[in-house]
Amino acid sequence: MVIKSARLRFIQEDDDDDKKYMKEFGHLSNCYALISEKMGNKINPKRIYQRWTNNLNPNLCHDSFNDNEKSFINEWVEEYKIRNPSSRSISLKEIIPVMKEKFGKLRSVNQVKNFWHTQQRKKGRNTSQGPSQNGNLAFDKLKKSLKITIIVLLFGVSYIFNFFM
């Protein structure tokens, strides 16, 4: 049983234990649950999985993306959108094995997602149709809701005015 507690940061000792237990149990289908148990259930299996796949796996490449990788991600996403026009989201998890084969580097899904979403934000800032002129989405939403409220109020006043005339 995993005990729910306040979110704890990983410390070096936890990372070392995680690496040690992955060598021992990594080949098993329930390895993350076993590791959590071995670590005294202080970290739940999902967090152990995420920590391993995004940070601790020794096969991961933590270098910045080179230009070829960046352009490959952009091209792959465009092709993905063409192949899956009805899909609202992009399954960036699918690009990981393709990139490993093409570039010989294992990247984490988080690395690819962070790169892609940063690119999208930058594109949005560079166009007048982007999500925000000042980079503050909450402010933009507030402005939009105020515009709607003002329009509704104006329409309501003119409707009432026309009604009495």
Side-chain angles (χ1 to χ4, degrees), residues 25-148:
F25 302 117
H27 64 285
L28 300 174
S29 62
N30 64 341
C31 64
Y32 304 109
L34 286 171
I35 292 170
S36 176
E37 207 172 280
K38 288 283 188 184
M39 294 173 74
N41 290 326
K42 64 181 179 180
I43 303 171
N44 71 28
K46 183 176 181 179
R47 288 198 63 219
I48 292 171
Y49 165 78
Q50 289 172 338
R51 181 74 174 165
W52 179 259
T53 57
N54 293 317
N55 301 95
L56 298 178
N57 185 341
N59 298 324
L60 282 176
C61 176
H62 295 284
D63 299 338
S64 301
F65 288 108
N66 63 36
D67 291 338
N68 292 337
E69 290 171 309
K70 290 176 183 178
S71 62
F72 179 78
I73 293 170
N74 290 326
E75 290 167 12
W76 187 90
V77 169
E78 292 306 316
E79 288 173 15
Y80 182 89
K81 287 179 180 178
I82 292 168
R83 287 190 317 264
N84 305 293
S86 62
S87 179
R88 293 185 57 147
S89 62
I90 300 163
S91 179
L92 291 172
K93 193 173 193 175
E94 294 176 22
I95 197 174
I96 302 303
V98 178
M99 287 185 68
K100 171 127 173 71
E101 184 178 317
K102 184 169 177 85
F103 299 104
K105 300 175 186 175
L106 179 63
R107 299 293 190 160
S108 75
V109 176
N110 272 5
Q111 284 175 306
V112 175
K113 283 186 350 188
N114 289 343
F115 167 76
W116 174 250
H117 291 297
T118 301
Q119 290 292 315
Q120 293 308 105
R121 267 196 311 276
K122 285 179 182 177
K123 284 181 185 177
R125 286 188 195 135
N126 292 336
T127 65
S128 60
Q129 298 171 357
S132 176
Q133 295 297 320
N134 60 5
N136 188 340
L137 293 175
F139 180 72
D140 288 348
K141 285 181 180 179
L142 179 63
K143 275 189 345 189
K144 186 175 183 178
S145 86
L146 285 173
K147 285 179 185 176
I148 291 169

